[in-house]
Amino acid sequence: MIGKACYREINRLLEEQLDKKNVLIAVHRGTWGGNIIENTIPAYKMALSMGADLFECDVAMSTDGIIYTFHDGGESRLLGEMKNIRTISSEEIDKQIYKNSIGEPSGVSVGRLEEVFTSFTHHELFNIDRGWDFLPQIDALMCQYPKTIRQAIIKTPVKDCYLEFFQNCPTKYMYMPIAYAMEDVKKALAWPDINIVGVELIARTKEEELFQKENIDWIKEQDLYVWVNAITLSNEKKHVLFGGLNDDTALLDNPNHSWGKLFEMGVNVIQTDWPVQLQAYRKRYFNL
């Protein structure tokens, strides 16, 4: 079982997928390249068609309260615009056109979170990231689309204000705290009325406590999944997300030295930029 028994109906789709596939593949911002732009509906569809079990959806809110699927901080690279998307109106955002992978106009505009809710209405799972500063607005939008309660996993850092929101929110969304230490995990679990389904673990080195298998096992014993990031953001130490077990090692060296180690440690969800390759390796590893 994933999460508390009282929330089992909400968590059923997630639980079924975990039972069926052993390890779920979560794709970072969808699958993108060429004229398919990250954090857009085509990117999410491509991720699912290439073996993803769920996709990550970054969100940002305009000054007039419209929620977009965009990772703020990427404005210069993606739009040629230096202003942070959170500091401008929806009217301004809607005029923006993405650059494609060679820096040319793509013809694609910035999408809205509502489009995700209307485009994926069946059994697709997705993770809503970076929405913690406007959780009430996300809640208000999701309440218009009741199916999303069984599809969306919302994550936040472990702070009292975010935990208090999920504790008091009448709709018991699937929630995933981002933990940097066991203290974070236990703090989140101390709130009795939150539908915690799993924990995202960040461990910069193999010596950190969240990299240790006994702590991973303990988290799983609480009926939670363990999510780690194999994505490679850069070669800087601050971007090492789980002890150096990353996509680059799996692709350029040997998947046994990276993805296989994560399987051995009992990880339940791996976030990647390479769903086709990870899916093929998962099939071989688990004889699916």
Side-chain angles (χ1 to χ4, degrees), residues 37 105 115 130 278:
I37 312 299
E115 295 172 41
R130 298 183 65 80
L278 180 51

Side-chain angles (χ1 to χ4, degrees), residues 4 160 163-164 167 186-194 196:
K4 297 176 181 177
D160 286 343
L163 297 172
E164 185 176 1
Q167 171 83 5
K186 293 178 179 179
K187 179 176 181 176
L189 286 171
W191 296 71
D193 297 323
I194 300 178
I196 300 177

Side-chain angles (χ1 to χ4, degrees), residues 111-264:
R112 299 186 178 195
L113 181 58
E114 188 170 10
E115 295 172 41
V116 176
F117 299 162
T118 58
S119 297
F120 302 98
T121 59
H122 301 292
H123 302 291
E124 305 93 346
L125 291 165
F126 50 91
N127 164 228
I128 297 177
D129 192 10
R130 298 183 65 80
W132 43 80
D133 290 333
F134 43 94
L135 291 170
Q137 289 86 349
I138 291 175
D139 172 44
L141 181 60
M142 290 181 69
C143 283
Q144 299 177 42
Y145 299 91
K147 284 186 178 180
T148 59
I149 187 177
R150 292 171 176 82
Q151 295 176 278
I153 303 166
I154 305 174
K155 71 177 181 180
T156 76
V158 177
K159 291 187 178 182
D160 286 343
C161 57
Y162 307 142
L163 297 172
E164 185 176 1
F165 171 84
F166 288 102
Q167 171 83 5
N168 296 328
C169 184
T171 305
K172 295 303 175 183
Y173 299 108
M174 293 187 287
Y175 172 63
M176 176 172 67
I178 306 167
Y180 291 80
M182 284 299 292
E183 179 184 4
D184 293 333
V185 178
K186 293 178 179 179
K187 179 176 181 176
L189 286 171
W191 296 71
D193 297 323
I194 300 178
N195 180 19
I196 300 177
V197 292
V199 183
E200 178 179 330
L201 305 185
I202 305 295
R204 304 297 187 196
T205 70
K206 294 180 180 179
E207 289 68 45
E208 293 184 20
E209 60 180 354
L210 290 183
F211 194 86
Q212 309 312 311
K213 191 174 187 307
E214 61 266 28
N215 290 323
I216 291 173
D217 290 343
W218 185 91
I219 293 168
K220 294 174 67 174
E221 287 166 4
Q222 313 312 306
D223 295 321
L224 305 175
Y225 68 68
V226 169
W227 171 308
V228 304
N229 295 287
I231 55 177
T232 305
L233 296 176
S234 80
N235 63 356
E236 294 184 10
K237 185 177 180 180
K238 67 178 181 179
H239 288 144
V240 175
L241 300 176
F242 199 71
L245 301 182
N246 58 33
D247 286 340
D248 283 9
T249 298
L251 296 167
L252 304 176
D253 179 10
N254 188 321
N256 295 327
H257 300 161
S258 177
W259 295 334
K261 294 292 185 184
L262 297 177
F263 291 167
E264 290 172 12

Side-chain angles (χ1 to χ4, degrees), residues 10-18 21 24-27 44 47-48 52-57 116 120-128 147-153 174 197 225 227 269:
I10 295 171
N11 305 339
R12 184 174 300 279
L13 175 59
L14 172 63
E15 185 174 334
E16 288 174 351
Q17 289 296 305
L18 284 164
K21 297 179 179 176
L24 299 186
I25 298 170
V27 178
Y44 303 146
L48 295 172
D53 302 301
L54 65 155
F55 57 85
E56 178 205 34
C57 176
V116 176
F120 302 98
T121 59
H122 301 292
H123 302 291
E124 305 93 346
L125 291 165
F126 50 91
N127 164 228
I128 297 177
K147 284 186 178 180
T148 59
I149 187 177
R150 292 171 176 82
Q151 295 176 278
I153 303 166
M174 293 187 287
V197 292
Y225 68 68
W227 171 308
V269 185

